[in-house]
Amino acid sequence: MKTVMITGATSGIGEALLAKYHAEGHHVIACGRNKDKLAQFAQQYNHLETLAFDITNTDEIAAAAHQISSVDILVLNAGDCAYIDDVMAFDGDVFANIININLISVGYLLQYFLPKLSAGSQLVFISSSATILPFPKAQAYGASKAGIDYLANSLRVDLHAHNIDVTLVHPGFVKTPLTNKNTFNMPFMISSDKAANTIYQAVVKRKDYLHFPKRLTITLKVIALLPSKVWLWLAKKSA
């Protein structure tokens, strides 16, 4: 049994990961802001702890960190998405809010929870396949996830000496409350349960990098190799 801490565990991929790790017999620390949902989990699952805190509040992060002693697998999954609908009326507040939630908060989570990991532990970042290509209106979300990509890959180098493995995950479109808000076409969408199972298997294998579903991500990677004008034409056409 390993101790697995999951941020953003009250919905979407995080909730599906909670269920998967619990089903596999692990001790799960479920983190989120939704206290009612966390209380429901506490009644529903054995070998489960809950931590209710806001990832953008450093005092709450510090208080939560004091409640646990060690973690074997830290899954940094919590995040949000918002779009810049009018690029010529660029909304700096929307941009700053998404950067703060998806990227800045991770720095504080690492400050307080990375010391809970010891040799042999694992650190998992749930990023996005949106970083493979620049998508319209996704300046805030894409920039935040691109920052996560660099952060994960850089940490892998430095944490190697501490025998802590880092897995970077690029999901495609996954059926979650976040994607439910999207009004555009989302090809090759998969369920959150399937996404969680795919992530679980990659973490078991201690993979450095995971992208899925392959039909989408490989297509994006091939397009990314082509001249930028090709993607610009495709993006305009889809819009």
Side-chain angles (χ1 to χ4, degrees):
M1 180 188 294
K2 292 186 176 181
T3 298
V4 183
M5 175 177 163
I6 305 169
T7 65
T10 56
S11 67
I13 293 175
E15 183 174 358
L17 282 170
L18 183 162
K20 177 62 177 178
Y21 274 102
H22 180 269
E24 295 294 335
H26 298 289
H27 177 81
V28 179
I29 303 173
C31 307
R33 292 182 301 170
N34 189 331
K35 294 181 180 180
D36 291 337
K37 195 68 173 288
L38 292 175
Q40 175 186 326
F41 290 157
Q43 295 293 324
Q44 182 179 355
Y45 297 109
N46 298 320
H47 307 300
L48 177 79
E49 291 182 61
T50 62
L51 290 176
F53 65 93
D54 185 338
I55 62 170
T56 64
N57 186 313
T58 54
D59 290 337
E60 291 187 16
I61 294 173
H66 285 307
Q67 297 181 52
I68 62 173
S69 57
S70 64
V71 176
D72 297 307
I73 302 174
L74 175 57
V75 183
L76 298 177
N77 164 76
D80 200 357
C81 181
Y83 298 105
I84 306 295
D85 292 322
D86 185 352
V87 71
M88 295 307 294
F90 197 94
D91 193 326
D93 289 335
V94 168
F95 186 84
N97 185 54
I98 293 300
I99 295 294
N100 187 45
I101 294 171
N102 291 356
L103 183 59
I104 303 300
S105 69
V106 173
Y108 289 108
L109 289 168
L110 290 169
Q111 176 180 332
Y112 288 101
F113 288 104
L114 191 55
K116 309 293 182 180
L117 274 62
S118 57
S121 297
Q122 294 174 263
L123 181 58
V124 182
F125 290 89
I126 308 300
S127 181
S128 171
S129 59
T131 64
I132 299 173
L133 282 170
F135 286 89
K137 302 184 179 182
Q139 292 83 13
Y141 182 74
S144 70
K145 292 302 186 178
I148 290 295
D149 288 0
Y150 193 95
L151 175 63
N153 290 326
S154 178
L155 280 170
R156 186 181 300 110
V157 176
D158 285 332
L159 291 176
H160 179 74
H162 300 272
N163 194 27
I164 296 174
D165 290 330
V166 177
T167 299
L168 174 63
V169 182
H170 277 173
F173 295 113
V174 179
K175 183 70 173 176
T176 69
L178 274 183
T179 55
N180 285 343
K181 297 188 296 184
N182 292 338
T183 58
F184 51 83
N185 182 42
M186 294 175 282
F188 310 120
M189 178 177 280
I190 64 174
S191 69
S192 56
D193 288 339
K194 185 172 182 178
N197 185 64
T198 302
I199 294 168
Y200 177 87
Q201 296 299 332
V203 174
V204 167
K205 297 175 182 177
R206 307 182 84 93
K207 286 188 174 182
D208 289 346
Y209 176 55
L210 169 68
H211 60 95
F212 65 88
K214 294 294 195 297
R215 289 178 296 171
L216 173 66
T217 54
I218 290 177
T219 299
L220 295 178
K221 288 174 180 291
V222 169
I223 295 173
L225 296 173
L226 301 175
S228 59
K229 289 183 179 180
V230 175
W231 175 241
L232 184 61
W233 179 80
L234 289 171
K236 285 182 177 180
K237 184 178 180 181
S238 65

